[in-house]
Amino acid sequence: DDTRKPYLPDEAATLALGAALAQAVRPGLVVFLEGDLGAGKTTLTRGMLRALGYAGRVKSPTYTLVEPYTLSNLYLYHFDLYRFHDPLEWEDAGFRDYFNPQSVCLIEWADKAEGLLPSPDLLIRLAPEGQGRRAEIVAATPLGTECLARLAL
Ligand code: ADP
Ligand code: MG
């Protein structure tokens, strides 16, 4: 199946989903993280990074647009495009080069850079439900489907 919809009752569950994703992703994967402010997109990213061995601080790169992480076996780029508005900046900053077969790219607010981004392999939507969040994980390419099949939930 190409869609999973786990319920995340609390922040720990969001971090745990991130940890599960960390084991399932492979270099080259492009993931769009969708949901309103406060939905848990950065929390999910933090869970992934922690599980990949990153011990430092993880906060959304709201002003720098992207935060690069060099991990033991892959490069991870975390984009927050909430404040992105100038397509010329995309080229100037060399963002295109971040999307390569060696890197995993996680993108918050991908719709702000429509037409500049490659199409996603995975879409992860987070929405409030009860006291927690409902995640919807959709595979959009064969690479995404393989990732979803590895995802231990
Ligand atoms: P975003 O990046 O989508 O704007 P953040 O991850 O920065 O959101 O913030 C999400 C907020 O919601 C944090 O305060 C976090 O503790 C909380 N949170 C994350 N996941 C859950 C969950 N499953 N249930 C309840 N609260 C959550
Ligand atoms: Mg965020």
Side-chain angles (χ1 to χ4, degrees), residues 7-15 34-44 46 60 78 80 108-109 126 131-134:
Y7 182 64
L8 311 171
D10 51 25
E11 186 191 62
T14 304
L15 292 168
E34 301 181 343
D36 289 341
L37 279 175
K41 304 180 293 297
T42 298
T43 303
L44 188 71
R46 185 177 300 124
S60 227
H78 177 209
D80 178 347
E108 301 186 28
W109 302 104
L126 295 165
Q131 304 293 308
R133 305 285 187 271
R134 177 67 63 179

Side-chain angles (χ1 to χ4, degrees), residues 1-147:
D1 198 0
D2 282 343
T3 305
R4 307 277 280 274
K5 294 186 174 185
Y7 182 64
L8 311 171
D10 51 25
E11 186 191 62
T14 304
L15 292 168
L17 175 59
L21 279 162
Q23 305 312 315
V25 298
R26 295 294 181 271
L29 206 75
V30 176
V31 183
F32 286 6
L33 300 174
E34 301 181 343
D36 289 341
L37 279 175
K41 304 180 293 297
T42 298
T43 303
L44 188 71
T45 303
R46 185 177 300 124
M48 275 187 79
L49 284 163
R50 291 268 180 278
L52 291 166
Y54 179 77
R57 234 167 90 81
V58 177
K59 61 183 186 82
S60 227
T62 305
Y63 293 94
T64 53
L65 301 177
V66 64
E67 187 67 34
Y69 297 92
T70 303
L71 305 162
S72 58
N73 55 349
L74 60 91
Y75 297 96
L76 190 149
Y77 299 107
H78 177 209
F79 288 87
D80 178 347
L81 301 178
Y82 190 71
R83 291 178 180 277
F84 178 78
H85 48 80
D86 181 2
L88 289 175
E89 193 185 351
W90 193 265
E91 291 306 322
D92 288 351
F95 286 161
R96 185 206 295 269
D97 300 336
Y98 288 75
F99 297 86
N100 67 64
Q102 281 76 46
S103 65
V104 169
C105 289
L106 305 178
I107 303 129
E108 301 186 28
W109 302 104
D111 53 312
K112 306 270 184 180
E114 226 186 329
L116 296 169
L117 288 165
S119 51
D121 298 295
L122 273 191
L123 287 148
I124 304 179
R125 302 192 180 101
L126 295 165
E129 186 177 311
Q131 304 293 308
R133 305 285 187 271
R134 177 67 63 179
E136 184 180 30
I137 310 168
V138 181
T141 66
L143 202 65
T145 301
E146 285 170 29
C147 179

